[in-house]
Amino acid sequence: MNFDQLKDSLEGDLFTDNVQRVLYSTDASQYKELPLAVCKPKSAADIKMLIAFARENKTSLIPRGGGTSLAGQVVGSGIVVDISKYMNNILEFNKEENYVIVEPGVVLAELNQFLAKHGMQFGPETSTANRCVIGGMLGNNSCGLHSLAYGSVREHVLEVDAILSDGSETTFKPLNKEEFDAKLNGNSNKLEKAIYENINEILAGTENQKEIREQFPAPELTRRNMGYAIDVLLESEVYTEGGAPFNFCKLLAGSEGTLAFSQRIKLNVIPLPPKYKGLVCAHFETLNESLLGNLVALKHGPTAIELMDDAIMQCTKANREQNLNRFFVKGDPGAMLMIEFSFETEEKLKATAEALEKDMREAGLGYHFPLVTGAKNIKRVWALRTAGLGLLANIPGDRKGVPGIEDTAVAPEYLPDYVVDIKRVLAELGLESVFYAHVATGEIHFRPLINFKDPKDVERFDTLMTETAKLVKKYQGSMSGEHGDGRARGKFIPYMLGEKSYEFVKALKKAWDPDNVFNPGKITDTPPITENLRVTPGNPTPEFKTHFDFSRNNGYMRSIEKCNGTGDCRKSELIGGTMCPTYMATRDEDKSTRGRANILREFLYSTDKTNPFDHKEIYDILDLCISCKACKNECPSNVDMSKMKAEFMQHYYDIHGIPLRSKLVAFLPRLNKLAMVFRPVSNFVMTTSVLKRAIGFSSKRSVPLLSKMTLNKWFEKGVPQMEKEIKGRIYLFNDEFTNYNESDIGIKAILLLTKLGYEVKIPMHKESGRTFLSKGLVRIAKKVATENVNRLKEIISAETPLVGIEPSAILAFRDEYPELVDKELQPAAGDLAKNVLLFEEFISAEIDKGNIKVSDFTDDEKHILLHGHCQQKAVASTKPSKQMLSLPLNYHVKEIPSGCCGMAGSFGYEKEHYELSMKIGEMVLFPSVRMAEEKMIISAPGTSCRHHIKDGTGKTAWHPVEVLYDALADNNSHSSNN
């Protein structure tokens, strides 16, 4: 059978093209290897077919979920089998018996959302919970934040329905001694019988038992994932009196997909934690002091203790979202422990926190011990900690905090000495590292700064790993505490476990997988840790002359390389947030921010083209980035794919020319100026299917019409002035959408401001440039930005701000302009950006100053459902919109938990994008609008959002300006001049 025949036979998807192979050539580690193909199976039958194909063609299968592996577990040259898209169903839940049965592609956070409705949870929790899948957690034996209380997956996996390497199916579950003997002596599947015979041969003899107990990590160390868990099976009742039932599931936990393919997994579930939860955020002067404090904290029965060092905390200052989460930090601590407690009463929580602080102070440890309570604030503290990994990618230059020694674990009492030893090794090698993670269970994630582009640093990395292995062995620890062996640590298993125990590990792999079908090169027979790196050591980083200024990240290429593969962009609409809407709608890797970054990096690095930007493959991938800008904010590394897309498109158009439709969309503001002369005819023509087809728009989509009069024309006639004291002057940015298509909103904005006592001026300016940026015409956008900055820099100030109605237009001044204009104008652009406000931001600020009062507005009761603009969420905030709309006494605002609406400028109009656009809208936004009561006001500040809501639901959405204008005390009803 060849690939074409396999593709025709599978129920799921099979890809052999270069783009998909590149997308799946990396994970969140430093490793890269081009797979033979990529498959997204839909059933056990598909997996069996893949196994048969792999055996016949002497290749392999690499099981993959979220692709968040830090040790290269899902990197390989065989067929990558991604179970995340289709095999992701919750099959059965039994609260009485405390179990749930899932397919391997179920996302942990989504599972816990489901279980929480029943007062239950799956205990092991990783920092990647919003995108990692249960199959991957089983493969890595994941544990995470609350492992002190809940242990690892190994303690909670009950049964696994698995497909073995010969294609046969079996169920692994708890067995007593009699049932185990029956497996040995029965007439079961030949391979299954060989598996039981193999483990019995390894564990039955006293000499082997002694070897395993002496060589494997100390049993009191709960975090130990080196090799296969034969030491755990040794403690079962089959081989140890008083032990637990024998269960091969404990072996599959941590086996990294090298032994069998799981198709259904039965998990133990537990009640949600006690009602009263709190974090004692203990501040320490030094890292060593915090490690001693950890031992004190353990005596008070915490459910988790997390370490964060000063380097991580400094990184969070530069991230807009995470800086808001630093509310509990006092001074600049050298390290911090977040010590979590859960109790049934608030009194017990407070008493324990006080007792802990008393013990710490008596021991001379720490200087500040705030108790953080409340779900919202606790979430903010954990968000600060979990963001650390991605934020490390923001460090300028090629030296990055890399995984490798980050997963070592030793007993907590050894941590202070172990860290001293590690620091000594790092110093000898001239390396620096950050320190964070799960100190309660003896694990610290070290992240030494390594430049894999430098051959000397690659050698240094190898030496560091070797020296660290010696230290871990000295303290009877584990090289892998939770992230697995993979390619990064497999090399050290023979040393860590001893040659004889390693032979047991190899024999076990051979028994389960004689043809080496499942994920070869992991755990056993791993390649050298310095091979198959993402970048080729010694190769220079490509440098490009760009229109945007990427110097903050040392160039365009390094801006791409900020993406370290952790996959935060793969969360679903069920989790919330905005990044990444096209991924949410499709669950396809090529529509994630990570996927786009991988394609950019690999094609620009490996190109044989005269012009590196001459790649249709990149163009096609970036075409489905809708420039919502959520990655700029929600990605821990602040990857701004929208900006990189615009830059690429300009270079690509320079080679291939600009498509007609892109020109029409980009120049629409200028075309509208001409169209206003023939407005009735223009509006008629724009509604015809003939025109839509001619320019490549969907015939199903309505097109915005021109207003009766431009806002500029109305303003020139003069604005009625109120006879009251002027509170201040503002300059209104008359954006291209408001001016031509929705001048009624602009009119209401001016009237509202005037009635509230403000003098409104419309300065001379160009359009915002948003349409040019959205279509990749960066060179023209640069000219527009330059002219606008030069025209406005002298008149805009904190006292006379520039206020805008359309978020995508006005936010260009804050987002793109400072990195788009030439260097000499950047200071002026930066100063201008500080005084550019969304309309809602201006009103909210004036409310806070007491200049706008509740008495100015009606006391009628209204309920408002708000959908925030995606770029507003990324660059600004929806809080001012909520505050402004809540100003009238009886106005009640609820925000829809939606991401991007899906229209995204012209994206939703374009015929090939229409269906995806509607699918994005249908995830959260459209259903929420449809379910809203008839009297509820739907509000959305974005013009595209309002248009999409109308097309998708038939309901009218109003700009917050319209809602507040109609709420003025001297207005009687909610109406519009549309």
Side-chain angles (χ1 to χ4, degrees):
M1 182 184 288
N2 57 35
F3 275 124
D4 289 336
Q5 293 168 322
L6 178 63
K7 186 173 184 176
D8 291 339
S9 303
L10 289 169
E11 187 182 355
D13 307 325
L14 182 71
F15 305 93
T16 55
D17 61 280
N18 198 40
V19 168
Q20 291 294 328
R21 292 166 65 208
V22 166
L23 285 166
Y24 284 85
S25 64
T26 63
D27 51 14
S29 72
Q30 59 264 31
Y31 297 103
K32 177 186 72 178
E33 192 168 356
L34 200 66
L36 198 59
V38 175
C39 182
K40 299 177 183 179
K42 288 187 175 180
S43 63
D46 278 356
I47 295 169
K48 288 182 181 181
M49 208 173 298
L50 287 168
I51 291 171
F53 181 88
R55 294 180 69 192
E56 178 186 340
N57 292 277
K58 301 192 185 314
T59 187
S60 61
L61 307 180
I62 301 112
R64 174 175 166 134
T68 58
S69 303
L70 290 168
Q73 286 96 322
V74 296
V75 173
S77 60
I79 302 170
V80 173
V81 185
D82 180 356
I83 46 81
S84 66
K85 180 166 184 175
Y86 299 122
M87 299 185 71
N88 54 16
N89 298 297
I90 299 172
L91 302 173
E92 182 183 345
F93 170 63
N94 189 315
K95 185 172 182 179
E96 289 70 32
E97 297 183 33
N98 298 329
Y99 73 77
V100 65
I101 299 175
V102 301
E103 290 183 315
V106 169
V107 171
L108 172 60
E110 294 180 19
L111 173 62
N112 276 334
Q113 278 187 352
F114 167 83
L115 293 173
K117 298 173 186 175
H118 305 278
M120 307 296 281
Q121 65 176 330
F122 180 59
E125 179 185 15
T126 70
S127 61
T128 57
N130 63 5
R131 68 265 192 201
C132 76
V133 301
I134 298 299
M137 292 183 71
L138 176 68
N140 271 8
N141 187 36
S142 301
C143 44
L145 186 64
H146 292 97
S147 64
L148 182 63
Y150 304 136
S152 64
V153 170
R154 185 171 288 140
E155 284 75 59
H156 294 275
V157 58
L158 303 174
E159 298 180 10
V160 172
D161 290 346
I163 303 173
L164 301 180
S165 64
D166 64 350
S168 62
E169 295 185 51
T170 189
T171 298
F172 295 115
K173 59 184 179 180
L175 303 174
N176 59 32
K177 194 170 188 315
E178 291 73 26
E179 291 169 326
F180 180 85
D181 289 340
K183 288 285 187 182
L184 278 177
N185 303 314
N187 295 316
S188 59
N189 169 272
K190 182 179 177 182
L191 179 57
E192 184 179 1
K193 186 174 182 179
I195 287 168
Y196 281 93
E197 288 173 344
N198 165 261
I199 197 66
N200 192 55
E201 184 179 336
I202 292 171
L203 298 181
T206 55
E207 186 177 330
N208 286 0
Q209 292 178 357
K210 182 173 181 292
E211 176 74 15
I212 290 167
R213 289 190 169 110
E214 287 179 353
Q215 293 296 331
F216 271 69
E220 61 269 19
L221 181 67
T222 56
R223 286 177 172 269
R224 55 192 205 282
N225 273 346
M226 292 293 296
Y228 296 125
I230 55 179
D231 58 327
V232 177
L233 294 182
L234 177 56
E235 303 307 318
S236 69
E237 69 172 76
V238 175
Y239 302 106
T240 301
E241 188 173 346
F246 181 95
N247 192 342
F248 261 137
C249 293
K250 295 184 182 297
L251 185 75
L252 291 178
S255 64
E256 302 181 5
T258 61
L259 300 179
F261 209 115
S262 304
Q263 58 165 316
R264 280 187 294 274
I265 305 168
K266 183 177 181 180
L267 302 168
N268 170 58
V269 294
I270 57 178
L272 289 169
K275 180 179 179 181
Y276 293 96
K277 184 182 290 186
L279 294 178
V280 175
C281 298
H283 293 49
F284 300 89
E285 297 288 354
T286 66
L287 175 64
N288 191 64
E289 189 184 345
S290 72
L291 299 176
L292 296 172
N294 177 52
L295 301 178
V296 175
L298 283 169
K299 298 175 183 177
H300 291 265
T303 51
I305 307 177
E306 292 291 294
L307 168 72
M308 185 163 61
D309 78 351
D310 62 332
I312 297 269
M313 285 182 274
Q314 292 300 323
C315 275
T316 61
K317 289 181 179 180
N319 181 278
R320 186 177 70 85
E321 184 178 23
Q322 293 309 323
N323 196 38
L324 297 175
N325 292 332
R326 291 174 53 88
F327 66 96
F328 62 96
V329 180
K330 181 179 180 180
D332 275 315
M336 186 183 295
L337 294 180
M338 284 85 89
I339 307 161
E340 182 190 81
F341 295 100
S342 296
F343 295 108
E344 295 295 344
T345 67
E346 189 175 7
E347 292 74 19
K348 178 65 173 173
L349 174 62
K350 290 180 177 178
T352 303
E354 290 169 3
L356 171 63
E357 180 174 354
K358 181 174 178 291
D359 281 1
M360 288 283 196
R361 292 192 183 279
E362 287 179 354
L365 301 171
Y367 68 88
H368 183 50
F369 304 88
L371 174 62
V372 178
T373 57
K376 185 176 180 181
N377 283 334
I378 289 173
K379 185 177 180 181
R380 290 170 67 191
V381 174
W382 287 136
L384 193 74
R385 211 290 290 165
T386 56
L389 175 61
L391 289 172
L392 291 172
N394 276 340
I395 299 172
D398 292 327
R399 302 193 85 188
K400 303 292 183 185
V402 302
I405 66 168
E406 95 290 348
D407 199 29
T408 58
V410 301
E413 60 267 27
Y414 296 141
L415 276 178
D417 291 336
Y418 174 59
V419 168
V420 169
D421 285 344
I422 282 286
K423 282 187 168 183
R424 173 183 50 78
V425 170
L426 289 169
E428 289 172 354
L429 292 171
L431 295 172
E432 299 176 354
S433 178
V434 296
F435 301 79
Y436 66 103
H438 322 293
V439 290
T441 46
E443 174 149 336
I444 294 186
H445 291 330
F446 303 101
R447 283 272 172 165
L449 298 176
I450 298 283
N451 177 13
F452 281 122
K453 297 177 183 178
D454 182 350
K456 292 181 180 178
D457 257 21
V458 174
E459 292 177 17
R460 193 176 286 125
F461 174 69
D462 197 5
T463 303
L464 174 64
M465 292 289 287
T466 301
E467 293 303 311
T468 301
K470 294 175 183 176
L471 292 178
V472 175
K473 184 72 172 176
K474 169 185 170 182
Y475 292 106
Q476 292 184 280
S478 175
M479 281 289 280
S480 172
E482 64 174 342
H483 294 161
D485 296 316
R487 305 176 78 119
R489 287 174 283 272
K491 164 185 173 179
F492 302 99
I493 296 176
Y495 172 75
M496 298 299 298
L497 303 184
E499 288 294 340
K500 187 172 182 180
S501 288
Y502 180 59
E503 289 303 318
F504 298 155
V505 169
K506 290 182 68 175
L508 188 143
K509 165 68 173 174
K510 186 70 175 175
W512 283 69
D513 187 15
D515 296 320
N516 218 17
V517 168
F518 292 133
N519 211 9
K522 320 302 187 306
I523 300 180
T524 62
D525 302 316
T526 56
I529 64 173
T530 55
E531 288 185 2
N532 299 115
L533 297 172
R534 273 197 192 198
V535 294
T536 303
N539 276 13
T541 303
E543 303 287 348
F544 307 110
K545 184 178 180 181
T546 59
H547 303 282
F548 276 109
D549 181 3
F550 291 95
S551 62
R552 181 187 301 180
N553 300 311
N554 294 340
Y556 185 71
M557 200 71 214
R558 290 180 178 87
S559 296
I560 297 167
E561 290 175 335
K562 287 171 65 177
C563 174
N564 59 12
T566 53
D568 296 70
C569 45
R570 282 177 56 96
K571 62 184 187 297
S572 75
E573 74 280 3
L574 299 176
I575 303 301
T578 303
M579 179 179 71
C580 176
T582 48
Y583 173 79
M584 289 180 178
T586 64
R587 304 293 177 99
D588 289 331
E589 179 72 17
D590 62 355
K591 297 172 188 69
S592 69
T593 306
R594 178 177 70 179
R596 294 172 185 125
N598 279 337
I599 290 296
L600 275 166
R601 185 188 64 247
E602 292 306 314
F603 277 90
L604 292 181
Y605 254 116
S606 309
T607 185
D608 56 358
K609 303 261 188 176
T610 304
N611 189 325
F613 290 93
D614 187 11
H615 279 288
K616 182 68 160 50
E617 299 93 336
I618 303 177
Y619 180 90
D620 289 341
I621 290 292
L622 293 184
D623 180 54
L624 293 180
C625 167
I626 61 178
S627 299
C628 67
K629 287 195 170 289
C631 49
K632 181 183 176 72
N633 181 37
E634 293 180 27
C635 169
S637 304
N638 302 131
V639 170
D640 190 345
M641 188 52 63
S642 173
K643 196 169 292 182
M644 288 186 280
K645 172 188 176 178
E647 183 70 42
F648 171 83
M649 290 296 186
Q650 179 68 79
H651 290 271
Y652 189 81
Y653 291 154
D654 287 345
I655 303 166
H656 296 280
I658 306 168
L660 175 61
R661 186 177 67 189
S662 294
K663 283 183 181 178
L664 291 173
V665 170
F667 283 93
L668 186 62
R670 300 178 188 182
L671 293 172
N672 277 340
K673 184 176 182 179
L674 176 63
M676 283 298 295
V677 178
F678 311 99
R679 179 184 167 274
V681 175
S682 300
N683 278 345
F684 172 76
V685 172
M686 284 189 287
T687 61
T688 63
S689 297
V690 175
L691 178 69
K692 292 177 188 176
R693 284 196 297 269
I695 61 177
F697 278 6
S698 170
S699 59
K700 300 176 184 178
R701 181 68 74 184
S702 64
V703 178
L705 301 179
L706 296 169
S707 298
K708 292 178 181 179
M709 181 186 300
T710 66
L711 182 58
N712 272 333
K713 186 103 172 169
W714 178 87
F715 190 78
E716 287 169 4
K717 293 182 177 181
V719 180
Q721 296 299 311
M722 300 295 292
E723 294 182 3
K724 58 168 64 175
E725 182 182 352
I726 299 298
K727 298 174 184 176
R729 172 188 292 178
I730 70 119
Y731 287 94
L732 183 72
F733 182 71
N734 184 15
D735 67 83
E736 53 268 39
F737 311 105
T738 302
N739 188 41
Y740 293 113
N741 304 108
E742 295 177 315
S743 61
D744 53 311
I745 298 176
I747 292 168
K748 287 186 176 182
I750 294 170
L751 292 176
L752 173 61
L753 289 166
T754 302
K755 289 182 179 184
L756 290 173
Y758 298 91
E759 181 186 9
V760 181
K761 297 286 187 182
I762 296 180
M764 290 290 292
H765 63 72
K766 299 280 287 183
E767 66 273 320
S768 69
R770 175 57 61 197
T771 56
F772 295 111
L773 288 167
S774 72
K775 304 314 291 184
L777 276 64
V778 182
R779 195 177 293 112
I780 298 175
K782 186 184 184 84
K783 292 178 181 177
V784 170
T786 300
E787 188 167 343
N788 277 336
V789 172
N790 281 324
R791 284 185 173 185
L792 299 171
K793 64 182 179 179
E794 301 300 333
I795 63 172
I796 301 302
S797 67
E799 291 72 33
T800 55
L802 183 68
V803 177
I805 295 170
E806 166 56 34
S808 67
I810 192 67
L811 290 175
F813 284 85
R814 293 207 332 227
D815 184 24
E816 286 95 352
Y817 280 22
E819 293 178 338
L820 188 55
V821 298
D822 288 334
K823 284 252 184 220
E824 59 270 17
L825 196 57
Q826 285 181 4
D831 291 339
L832 177 60
K834 294 173 187 175
N835 299 305
V836 169
L837 301 173
L838 290 164
F839 188 93
E840 298 96 308
E841 289 176 322
F842 173 75
I843 296 292
S844 294
E846 292 300 292
I847 292 171
D848 291 341
K849 293 174 186 175
N851 292 335
I852 301 177
K853 298 180 172 58
V854 174
S855 58
D856 293 323
F857 299 92
T858 179
D859 58 3
D860 290 349
E861 185 174 8
K862 299 283 186 183
H863 292 268
I864 301 158
L865 197 59
L866 173 68
H867 165 71
H869 190 280
C870 53
Q871 293 185 4
Q872 175 187 13
K873 295 169 187 173
V875 182
S877 172
T878 59
K879 289 180 182 177
S881 297
K882 288 184 283 187
Q883 183 182 3
M884 183 182 96
L885 291 172
S886 300
L887 177 62
L889 185 62
N890 293 312
Y891 273 38
H892 308 282
V893 182
K894 180 182 178 183
E895 186 172 7
I896 301 171
S898 50
C900 179
C901 71
M903 183 69 95
S906 68
F907 182 87
Y909 294 94
E910 295 160 1
K911 61 182 181 181
E912 70 273 24
H913 299 145
Y914 173 79
E915 294 299 335
L916 179 55
S917 169
M918 297 302 287
K919 194 171 182 179
I920 294 170
E922 290 291 354
M923 290 190 296
V924 177
L925 177 59
F926 292 170
S928 299
V929 171
R930 291 190 193 106
M931 289 188 292
E933 294 182 8
E934 198 62 38
K935 291 184 178 179
M936 183 170 276
I937 298 169
I938 310 300
S939 183
T943 180
S944 293
C945 306
R946 295 191 297 276
H947 202 97
H948 201 36
I949 289 169
K950 183 70 174 179
D951 282 356
T953 69
K955 292 192 176 183
T956 299
W958 311 93
H959 194 289
V961 163
E962 298 176 282
V963 178
L964 195 64
Y965 174 80
D966 289 341
L968 281 167
D970 58 356
N971 288 337
N972 297 318
S973 62
H974 184 85
S975 61
S976 175
N977 296 325
N978 280 344

